[in-house]
């Protein structure tokens, strides 16, 4: 008998400073428990899929460093002493504020993923300003993640699949020395969570020389323990813009996604009657269970309510 796949629960432990992370967990739709007081015996013995906490609370949890539970410490202040203390406790993923919201969401989804790893080379989350070229002109981008084989960037316009693109990584993101690397666009889709016209683009790098491999390894090493700090960057110009003028500095990007959009189906008006008629061709059955929904960016979990032969 096939068992229903379970979704690992997350544990959020803080003293109120991670309210934005709580909102993000709710928007992702993953089950989680929140604790602002001491953990119970049941909490400590539970098999959590992911634990997110402030550094102070994370150090006080005394979690088993050898457990398979993913752990993320969200830091408002950074120091070598604090990082070393967290690493001794087995916390390898450190998020230093401010962080790009799309990068934090992607990191949480990745840590909760329990399927087989399909990528040939490890990929790190970065979330820092970079640039790209599809011709002679350089345009701003957000480097969301990077590997030896390719990258994922947030850009201002849709790029055609198979088109050529050059990623320009600045020195502060590259670990000391700026570099460029060429590749091919694999896919590009509109970011459903962006407030402006932005597109998530995945690219595969061309064959790399020794110097390019060394540059990429340095950039990966600089972000192995967590994404970059994101202080804000020039707003990506609106799609279709042709001006060469430098874009003005924008306000800070929001730390959470915009409220969930509700889509209502438009139906033709029908005449009212004392007894509404059932128009479904097949009976509808109640079904309360989690449903995996695959989108362009990541898998999400929805709650199924009812189902028929024709729909759900």
């Amino acid at each position: 008998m096939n068992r229903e796949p379970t979704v690992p629960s997350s544990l959020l432990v803080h003293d109120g400073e991670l309210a934005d992370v709580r909102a993000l967990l709710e928007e992702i739709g993953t089950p989680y428990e929140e604790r602002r007081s001491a953990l119970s015996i049941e909490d400590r013995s539970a098999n959590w899929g992911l634990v997110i906490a402030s550094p102070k609370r994370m150090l006080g949890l005394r979690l088993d460093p050898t457990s398979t539970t993913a752990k993320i410490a969200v830091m408002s202040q950074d120091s070598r002493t604090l990082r070393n203390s967290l690493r001794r406790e087995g916390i390898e993923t450190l998020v230093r504020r401010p962080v790009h919201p799309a990068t934090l969401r992607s990191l949480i989804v990745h840590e909760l993923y329990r399927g087989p790893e399909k990528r040939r080379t490890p990929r790190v989350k970065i979330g820092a300003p970079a640039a790209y070229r599809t011709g002679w002109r350089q345009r701003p981008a957000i480097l969301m993640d990077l590997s030896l084989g390719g990258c994922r960037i947030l850009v201002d316009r849709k790029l055609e699949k198979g088109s050529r693109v050059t990623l320009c990584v600045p020195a502060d993101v590259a670990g000391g020395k700026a570099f460029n690397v060429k590749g091919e666009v694999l896919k590009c889709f509109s970011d459903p969570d962006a407030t402006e016209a932005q597109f998530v683009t995945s690219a595969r790098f061309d064959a790399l020389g020794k110097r390019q491999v060394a540059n990429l390894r340095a950039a990966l090493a600089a972000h192995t323990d967590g994404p970059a700090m994101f202080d804000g960057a020039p707003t990506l110009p609106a799609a279709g813009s042709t001006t060469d003028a430098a874009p003005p500095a924008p306000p800070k990007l929001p730390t959470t996604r915009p409220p969930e959009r509700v889509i209502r189906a438009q139906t033709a008006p029908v005449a009212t009657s004392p007894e509404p008629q059932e128009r479904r061709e097949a009976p509808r059955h109640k079904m309360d269970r989690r449903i995996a929904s695959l989108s362009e960016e990541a898998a999400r979990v929805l709650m199924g309510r009812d189902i028929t032969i024709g729909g759900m």
Side-chain angles (χ1 to χ4, degrees):
M1 181 179 66
N2 294 330
R3 295 184 178 180
E4 177 186 347
T6 59
V7 178
S9 295
S10 302
L11 176 64
L12 177 63
V13 187
H14 64 128
D15 296 311
E17 67 273 44
L18 301 185
D20 58 327
V21 179
R22 178 187 61 201
L24 187 57
L25 290 172
E26 292 177 351
E27 292 168 359
I28 291 173
T30 182
Y32 77 97
E33 296 289 339
E34 181 181 24
R35 299 290 183 268
R36 297 198 185 188
S37 58
L39 267 63
S40 65
I41 297 177
E42 292 76 13
D43 289 335
R44 294 184 180 278
S45 60
N47 184 24
W48 301 106
L50 172 65
V51 175
I52 307 175
S54 59
K56 176 182 177 181
R57 298 301 302 273
M58 186 69 83
L59 292 172
L61 296 180
R62 301 296 180 182
L63 299 172
D64 183 1
T66 63
S67 70
T68 58
T69 299
K71 312 173 189 71
I72 299 177
V74 182
M75 309 165 61
S76 297
Q77 295 181 343
D78 187 17
S79 70
R80 181 176 299 179
T81 301
L82 180 58
R83 276 180 278 161
N84 290 338
S85 298
L86 290 167
R87 289 194 182 100
R88 283 195 295 269
E89 294 297 322
I91 293 88
E92 298 180 352
T93 304
L94 312 178
V95 174
R96 292 172 283 271
R97 291 184 184 274
V99 61
H100 194 283
T103 301
L104 180 57
R105 181 174 68 250
S106 178
L107 177 63
I108 292 175
V109 171
H110 176 76
E111 294 292 354
L112 287 170
Y113 177 66
R114 291 297 180 267
E117 180 56 64
K118 298 181 180 179
R119 296 191 178 103
R120 297 179 180 178
T121 56
R123 178 166 294 197
V124 300
K125 309 297 179 184
I126 296 183
Y132 75 101
R133 290 200 308 267
T134 54
W136 63 270
R137 183 186 175 193
Q138 184 169 291
R139 304 186 67 87
I142 301 298
L143 177 57
M144 299 185 68
D145 48 47
L146 181 70
S147 75
L148 289 177
C151 66
R152 194 160 58 100
I153 56 177
L154 188 64
V155 299
D156 60 309
R157 58 191 60 204
K158 186 174 179 61
L159 304 181
E160 295 299 325
K161 180 180 179 180
S163 61
R164 305 296 300 167
V165 64
T166 299
L167 173 67
C168 309
V169 183
D172 57 342
V173 179
K177 185 177 181 180
F179 66 90
N180 298 340
V181 58
K182 296 181 179 180
E184 176 186 357
V185 173
L186 296 180
K187 61 180 178 179
C188 181
F189 59 92
S190 177
D191 183 2
D193 301 313
T195 56
E196 299 179 0
Q198 296 180 2
F199 299 86
V200 180
T201 302
S202 297
R204 176 176 56 203
F205 295 147
D206 297 340
L208 303 172
K210 291 183 179 180
R211 179 175 297 180
Q212 288 179 313
V213 171
N215 290 335
L216 283 169
R217 289 191 186 279
L220 294 172
H223 303 90
T224 300
D225 61 352
M229 295 179 65
F230 184 82
D231 293 322
T235 299
L236 300 179
S241 173
T242 58
T243 177
D244 290 329
K252 298 290 185 178
L253 292 182
T255 55
T256 59
R257 297 187 299 172
E260 180 182 1
R261 295 182 292 273
V262 179
I263 302 176
R264 296 180 174 85
Q266 295 182 353
T267 58
V270 296
T272 59
S273 60
E275 297 182 1
Q277 298 178 351
E278 176 59 59
R279 293 182 293 176
R280 299 187 182 103
E281 297 179 357
R284 178 159 294 199
H285 302 279
K286 185 176 180 181
M287 182 189 68
D288 288 318
R289 59 179 296 176
R290 295 185 181 96
I291 305 296
S293 171
L294 298 179
S295 65
E296 291 278 8
E297 183 176 3
R300 298 176 184 249
V301 177
L302 311 176
M303 288 303 301
R305 292 307 180 195
D306 48 47
I307 188 170
T308 70
I309 293 178
M312 180 172 65

